[in-house]
Amino acid sequence: MGAYDAELGAAVERAQQGDEEGFAIAYRLVQPGLIGYVRGLVGDDAEDVASEAWLEISRDLGRFRGDGAGFRGWTATIARHRALDHLRRQKRRPRTSLLEQDMLEMPGRHDTAATALEKLSTEQALELIGNLPRDQAEAVLLRVVVGLDGPASARVLGKRPGAVRTAAYRGLKGLAGQFTRAGARGVTPGAQRTLKDET
């Protein structure tokens, strides 16, 4: 993600100087992973929550200090806070939804986690990730969908990097087991569960 983060860092610098095109580039680079992460947290309400997050991001952009990778982590932290606020306000039974197909496609990444998720349909992936314990599911979403490294994911979650690495490892191992079982029995669309079902 070096070239990706370099492009993002340059776009953020331009945006901080008032360049609208710089902000548009930063948005296009970050939004797919961010919306995928938020969708895993709040389901159908992801667009609204992500919009709230982008309002805060644009308002506070001048205070951000860091590079492209740091910007991805900063935006994920803001989106997570907006998602948790949204879930606290929500008193009705939560609705569920599916991740959009392009949310699982990470540019230039060829690792085991991404390969396994690419083989699944979006619907199947969300169902399988939703079956993980919350800490594991959120760690997998941050690492695979948003593309954050261990320390950045730990900052977003307010945990130690080792705890996040362990949760992501266990989550991916659990997904591998679920993938094997799902392949044997075939995953069918049904009531999808998101992380918000556990709050």
Side-chain angles (χ1 to χ4, degrees):
M1 295 203 115
Y4 168 85
D5 283 335
E7 181 183 2
L8 179 57
V12 169
E13 282 183 35
R14 289 174 47 201
Q16 288 178 316
Q17 296 168 5
D19 183 346
E20 290 181 21
E21 180 63 22
F23 187 83
I25 291 169
Y27 177 86
R28 282 192 303 268
L29 291 172
V30 172
Q31 178 66 357
L34 195 68
I35 194 73
Y37 173 56
V38 173
R39 191 171 303 280
L41 296 173
V42 301
D44 286 338
D45 298 331
E47 293 287 339
D48 293 336
V49 172
S51 293
E52 289 178 20
W54 278 106
L55 285 173
E56 185 173 337
I57 291 163
S58 64
R59 183 192 71 212
D60 295 342
L61 185 61
R63 294 192 296 215
F64 171 75
R65 299 290 176 258
D67 58 6
F71 185 73
R72 284 187 294 121
W74 183 68
T75 58
T77 300
I78 290 171
R80 182 173 192 263
H81 290 158
R82 295 297 63 79
L84 294 176
D85 288 346
H86 175 78
L87 293 175
R88 280 188 210 95
R89 289 189 306 262
Q90 203 175 39
K91 298 296 180 192
R92 58 181 164 63
R93 181 169 172 82
R95 298 179 311 227
T96 58
S97 70
L98 308 175
L99 287 170
E100 296 173 347
Q101 182 64 35
D102 60 348
M103 295 307 117
L104 296 177
E105 296 174 8
M106 299 297 296
R109 302 262 324 221
H110 296 291
D111 59 31
T112 306
T115 303
L117 287 177
E118 286 172 3
K119 291 182 180 182
L120 297 172
S121 75
T122 302
E123 187 173 302
Q124 291 169 328
L126 183 59
E127 181 178 338
L128 295 177
I129 291 171
N131 289 329
L132 295 173
R134 182 186 175 118
D135 65 324
Q136 293 176 17
E138 199 166 358
V140 168
L141 287 168
L142 285 169
R143 297 293 306 269
V144 177
V145 177
V146 178
L148 297 181
D149 63 13
S153 297
R155 284 190 298 275
V156 170
L157 297 173
K159 296 182 177 184
R160 292 187 331 257
V164 174
R165 278 193 304 273
T166 300
Y169 171 79
R170 289 179 179 161
L172 291 171
K173 189 172 179 180
L175 281 177
Q178 288 185 53
F179 180 67
T180 302
R181 289 188 298 278
R185 65 175 165 76
V187 176
T188 57
Q192 301 294 314
R193 190 171 75 101
T194 62
L195 296 181
K196 69 179 183 174
D197 295 331
E198 295 186 19
T199 58

